[in-house]
Amino acid sequence: MDVIDIIVTKRDGGELQPGQIDWVIDAYTRGAIAEEQMAALNMAIVWRGMTRAEVSRWTAAMLGSGDRLDFSDLPRPTTDKHSTGGVGDKITLPLTPAVAACGAAVPQLSGRGLGHTGGTLDKLESIPGWRAELSPAEMRRSLTDVGGVICAAGAGLAPADRKLYALRDVTGTVESIPLIAGSIMSKKLAEGTGSLVLDVKVGSGAFMKDTESARELARTMVDIGNDNGVRTVALLTAMDAPLGRQVGNALEVAEALEVLAGGGPDDVVELTVRLGREMLAAAGLPGAKDPADALRDGSAMDAWRRMIRAQGGDPDAPLPVAAERREILAPASGTLTRLDAHAVGMAAWRLGAGRARKEDPVSPGAGVTLHAEPGDHVRVGRPLFTLHTDDPARFDRAAESLTDAVTLDGEDTRLPLVIDRIG
Ligand code: URA
């Protein structure tokens, strides 16, 4: 096959054939296609898009470039959730044990954060002793004994995506719905789940800023999952304001613990329960125990404690706390009508909760506590945010990110928590 023919076909708006897609992904992964040729093909895809058949095959080829875990012999059906990422999005932490407590098995392979949205592994690594790296046998043990595991994806899963994503990152070709959908789904399908619920975020703190592009991404990923034999549904959910009241690694674990103890902020509880119900239905367990009951009766907390212990963590150890705090006060009184997720995410990142490069460490205690949420009345001079950091030199830049983060007494443009369901 000739890579130039493939590039030219896509450049001119043609449809790639399955054999061409299989060949190009395999040859690129083996190093048999030059980076500049793959970059040209990616750019042609950015401009011309892909048909459903093309993107499903592209994803299957990336999936086939590495290992695919198989948990089909477990006594419980498997199901997982993937979020496209948001500010304060700690839902995986209460959701995985809640769904495990309701009878499904959740093989959740997660990542570390880059940029203003946090990574699930960074959050869990704030628990003393907890380790993200597990062997396939350890994963299987936790899935069998507890019903859930949250761990790092091994290097053997979808290696084509790892190489391709690094190239897209430096060639202006990340922003393409088929390429994003194929990239996310190749990794999720490789983890061996039998069903999948996607939480596609919409708003300033999300990858997708508007509902229409989020809907298109969701539809594309749902089609890829179903075309590849994994029952997949998606919820479009709000990320115009942060989720919950805490943003930052250990701060978010503490908030997840409140939810597991039967309390916590309403939006975090509601989204955990909605996603949990979708996961159980997708797993073929429609009459299972309700995740809301698992949060209320302590069974989700019990599963959490066993899951954390199985990975060396001490569920009773105090969580790390940042060395320094600063409060930001409300400049006036009024009703909070906008609290910008992106601004809060940037502030948490500048305080040390996130990383700029893959190799950077994160500060477990850093982040932002929100003292009000949209709809609340705030009083002049009362705390609006508490900033947490180990390095006080970071306060000023973080506070700058928050300068335009709130609107008082403006138009109420809040998105509903769950905007749509695609399945
Ligand atoms: N996340 C991914 O895993 N891949 C993309 O292409 C974009 C976001």
Side-chain angles (χ1 to χ4, degrees):
M1 267 201 224
D2 180 8
V3 65
I4 300 172
D5 273 352
I6 295 176
I7 298 168
V8 167
T9 300
K10 187 42 72 182
R11 183 198 67 191
D12 294 344
E15 182 170 10
L16 302 180
Q17 296 310 303
Q20 290 179 306
I21 293 173
D22 293 350
W23 179 81
V24 87
I25 294 290
D26 177 59
Y28 178 63
T29 311
R30 286 187 288 106
I33 289 179
E35 296 288 337
E36 59 271 23
Q37 290 176 313
M38 201 63 189
L41 178 58
N42 285 337
M43 191 56 90
I45 293 169
V46 168
W47 282 100
R48 294 295 192 171
M50 275 181 165
T51 63
R52 174 171 176 170
E54 282 179 305
V55 74
S56 284
R57 189 70 179 216
W58 181 269
T59 310
M62 292 210 293
L63 174 62
S65 71
D67 306 329
R68 185 172 189 178
L69 303 176
D70 182 2
F71 298 113
S72 55
D73 60 329
L74 288 182
R76 303 164 171 228
T78 47
T79 186
D80 191 20
K81 184 265 316 187
H82 175 79
S83 158
T84 55
V87 177
D89 184 1
K90 71 279 293 169
I91 299 290
T92 295
L93 307 184
L95 178 65
T96 302
V99 171
C102 295
V106 187
Q108 166 75 237
L109 298 188
S110 295
R112 292 190 171 76
L114 193 60
H116 75 281
T117 61
T120 297
L121 300 184
D122 297 320
K123 297 174 210 226
L124 285 166
E125 280 173 343
S126 64
I127 299 172
W130 188 88
R131 69 190 161 87
E133 261 49 71
L134 294 190
S135 68
E138 288 173 313
M139 266 189 88
R140 178 172 284 276
R141 197 171 320 122
S142 198
L143 282 170
T144 310
D145 296 350
V146 185
V149 64
I150 306 175
C151 63
L157 301 188
D161 176 64
R162 188 162 303 114
K163 195 170 174 201
L164 203 56
Y165 190 83
L167 177 64
R168 289 168 54 211
D169 203 24
V170 294
T171 53
T173 52
V174 169
E175 286 81 3
S176 148
I177 283 180
L179 290 177
I180 295 169
S183 165
I184 293 174
M185 290 301 288
S186 64
K187 289 175 286 210
K188 278 285 141 183
L189 297 176
E191 73 180 21
T193 186
S195 59
L196 180 63
V197 177
L198 299 163
D199 180 5
V200 179
K201 301 275 182 214
V202 187
S204 77
F207 210 51
M208 295 287 144
K209 308 292 178 205
D210 66 275
T211 307
E212 273 330 295
S213 9
R215 189 173 279 121
E216 192 184 333
L217 177 63
R219 178 83 263 159
T220 309
M221 291 197 291
V222 166
D223 288 345
I224 292 172
N226 289 319
D227 288 351
N228 283 281
V230 172
R231 174 156 165 59
T232 306
V233 298
L235 297 184
L236 295 194
T237 72
M239 188 33 67
D240 46 346
L243 261 175
R245 296 288 188 112
Q246 306 287 357
V247 180
N249 299 304
L251 292 168
E252 292 189 41
V253 173
E255 189 165 76
L257 285 168
E258 287 175 29
V259 175
L260 286 162
D266 290 348
D267 56 350
V268 180
V269 175
E270 186 184 335
L271 196 51
T272 303
V273 170
R274 286 290 299 266
L275 288 165
R277 287 177 185 156
E278 291 286 353
M279 288 167 75
L280 292 162
L285 294 171
K289 176 171 177 167
D290 190 52
D293 292 334
L295 294 176
R296 260 193 302 266
D297 69 11
S299 55
M301 178 67 100
D302 185 48
W304 161 267
R305 294 173 62 81
R306 291 165 62 213
M307 209 174 77
I308 296 301
R309 273 207 204 92
Q311 287 170 245
D314 177 356
D316 296 313
L319 291 166
V321 174
E324 307 279 341
R325 291 176 192 205
R326 179 188 287 182
E327 284 186 339
I328 297 190
L329 309 180
S333 296
T335 301
L336 184 62
T337 45
R338 185 185 65 95
L339 174 53
D340 185 67
H342 183 259
V344 175
M346 286 302 292
W349 181 69
R350 287 179 168 175
L351 290 162
R355 49 171 74 76
R357 287 169 308 149
K358 279 207 306 288
E359 344 27 89
D360 293 344
V362 296
S363 158
V368 180
T369 301
L370 315 172
H371 296 290
E373 60 191 58
D376 288 352
H377 185 75
V378 301
R379 296 245 310 272
V380 62
R382 301 295 291 270
L384 206 47
F385 304 106
T386 301
L387 312 184
H388 309 252
T389 187
D390 292 325
D391 174 7
R394 291 174 176 263
F395 277 133
D396 288 346
R397 291 264 292 146
E400 258 173 48
S401 315
L402 294 169
T403 317
D404 296 318
V406 299
T407 304
L408 297 178
D409 296 329
E411 193 190 339
D412 188 352
T413 55
R414 269 180 289 172
L415 291 168
L417 183 60
V418 177
I419 301 161
D420 202 356
R421 179 185 186 278
I422 290 156

